[in-house]
Amino acid sequence: MGYQNIIEEIADTVKSLFGQGKVADYIPALAKVPPNKLGIAIETIGGLSFCTGDAEEQFSIQSISKVIALAMAYPKVGEQLWERVGIEPSGNPFNSLVQLEYERGIPRNPFINAGALVITDLLIEHFPQPKNDLLQLTRQLAQSDDIYYDYKVAASERELGYTNAALVNFMKSHYNIKAPVENVLDVYFHQCSLAMSCRELARAFLMFANHGIIPHSGERILTESQAKRLNALMLTCGFYDEAGEFAFRVGLPGKSGVGGGIVAVIPGELAIAVWSPELNEHGNSLVGIKVLELFTTLTGKSIF
Ligand code: GLN
């Protein structure tokens, strides 16, 4: 069976799970998203595209942006980056404060909020216009000029971003944040608000499946080693305290966001993105994980 038939069959199967999760409601802008949306898109390195359902509709990518921000910072900062943020799974919720105290303001990894906030701080240090440069990189990766910040979401994040403010302030007290707290939060809330479709996300993540090169244009964004490392981090840290379960059930590097998006890669072959806004108790898309579990089961393609 081809990928198109497989994703259509999976979409039919998983609809029975609608209603079991809960749409993110920590900000009003996300709480309004219709719960029963479902999009799936696959892009292959060879240039084939497959999609079904709401795969062309843009949604808030939220924490998926943490991978793009890291892909922007890492080549610029180099290995010194790992003096500011660790590479170990946290086993804690995405916005947890607890480990920061034991680890003197050094976050466990770049894909929890604390780690992503340090990466944002590095973007501010190394790029003249970090918000604009991040948007341009995202458009370049996705080969789409149609990607924007959703300013309503960014404003909502700022208004209610008390936990993120606490994380930045705590890390600043340990000298692990250099820029003013307000600037770090501003760039971080904008990156979270990036709106993209499954198709755009799958295309943007092909670079990670293709050893750091954008397949469509041939441009190199990461070295081979950097691409390997980012994939390793997605595998071990991409799903917060559910990273083990995702590796166990799906077996691919990937990243989720509280907007209900998940993107995963099969290195050397393709990227697949799913959007279904209802979340499980870990803040990951409930239906999205099931879609990817069925995909690797039906195709026999995981990294293991
Ligand atoms: N904007 C969210 C936050 O910072 C992103 C979290 C996520 O997607 N897990 O809390």
Side-chain angles (χ1 to χ4, degrees):
M1 206 176 3
Y3 285 148
Q4 187 61 39
N5 290 336
I6 289 177
I7 58 177
E8 282 172 17
E9 189 179 304
I10 292 174
D12 271 352
T13 311
V14 296
K15 281 182 181 152
S16 63
L17 297 174
F18 284 165
Q20 294 190 12
K22 202 164 152 284
V23 173
D25 57 3
Y26 70 99
I27 51 170
L30 287 184
K32 284 190 220 120
V33 176
N36 290 0
K37 292 284 180 184
L38 176 60
I40 308 175
I42 293 176
E43 295 277 332
T44 73
I45 290 174
L48 300 177
S49 309
F50 307 91
C51 66
T52 187
D54 304 307
E56 310 271 5
E57 195 171 323
Q58 292 184 322
F59 59 93
S60 189
I61 70 163
Q62 292 292 327
S63 280
I64 297 173
S65 65
K66 293 175 164 89
V67 187
I68 302 172
L70 180 59
M72 181 166 148
Y74 192 14
K76 197 81 165 186
V77 182
E79 298 311 311
Q80 281 178 343
L81 185 145
W82 310 116
E83 291 165 16
R84 304 270 306 269
V85 57
I87 50 169
E88 296 296 340
S90 70
N92 272 312
F94 61 85
N95 54 5
S96 175
L97 285 144
V98 288
Q99 285 164 331
L100 276 182
E101 196 172 353
Y102 303 116
E103 310 203 353
R104 294 181 305 282
I106 307 288
R108 293 281 285 190
N109 68 66
F111 296 156
I112 50 174
N113 286 16
L117 288 159
V118 170
I119 300 300
T120 304
D121 188 49
L122 286 166
L123 292 183
I124 294 170
E125 190 180 330
H126 290 272
F127 290 86
Q129 294 178 291
K131 268 193 277 190
N132 186 51
D133 294 345
L134 181 73
L135 181 61
Q136 294 314 327
L137 173 65
T138 308
R139 288 176 172 176
Q140 184 188 0
L141 291 173
Q143 305 278 298
S144 162
D145 285 338
D146 208 23
I147 296 169
Y148 298 95
Y149 292 121
D150 181 333
Y151 292 106
K152 272 201 189 123
V153 170
S156 215
E157 298 270 1
R158 180 180 304 121
E159 202 181 326
L160 296 160
Y162 305 113
T163 307
N164 286 314
L167 288 165
V168 185
N169 278 293
F170 186 80
M171 292 189 290
K172 192 148 179 90
S173 77
H174 282 276
Y175 308 103
N176 199 19
I177 292 286
K178 316 274 186 235
V181 166
E182 274 315 308
N183 294 12
V184 177
L185 289 172
D186 180 55
V187 177
Y188 175 77
F189 291 143
H190 279 84
Q191 89 183 36
C192 287
S193 81
L194 274 170
M196 291 171 74
S197 68
C198 288
R199 196 192 267 279
E200 289 164 339
L201 263 182
R203 190 170 282 217
F205 272 65
L206 270 182
M207 183 271 287
F208 298 102
N210 194 35
H211 309 290
I213 296 174
I214 302 175
H216 318 277
S217 62
E219 291 158 287
R220 182 175 281 288
I221 303 294
L222 300 173
T223 66
E224 204 150 322
S225 157
Q226 288 166 344
K228 182 203 81 177
R229 290 173 169 193
L230 287 209
N231 280 317
L233 284 167
M234 281 195 263
L235 184 77
T236 52
C237 310
F239 296 82
Y240 325 113
D241 46 341
E242 201 178 14
E245 172 118 0
F246 189 82
F248 188 82
R249 285 173 55 188
V250 179
L252 294 177
K255 185 73 198 82
S256 64
V258 288
I262 300 181
V263 58
V265 302
I266 300 184
E269 188 175 345
L270 59 79
I272 175 168
V274 191
W275 174 45
S276 168
E278 290 187 341
L279 308 178
N280 65 19
E281 65 276 22
H282 303 284
N284 297 319
S285 172
L286 188 141
V287 168
I289 291 182
K290 189 68 193 173
V291 165
L292 292 167
E293 180 180 13
L294 289 171
F295 181 74
T296 53
T297 306
L298 289 172
T299 58
K301 289 186 181 183
S302 78
I303 61 165
F304 300 109

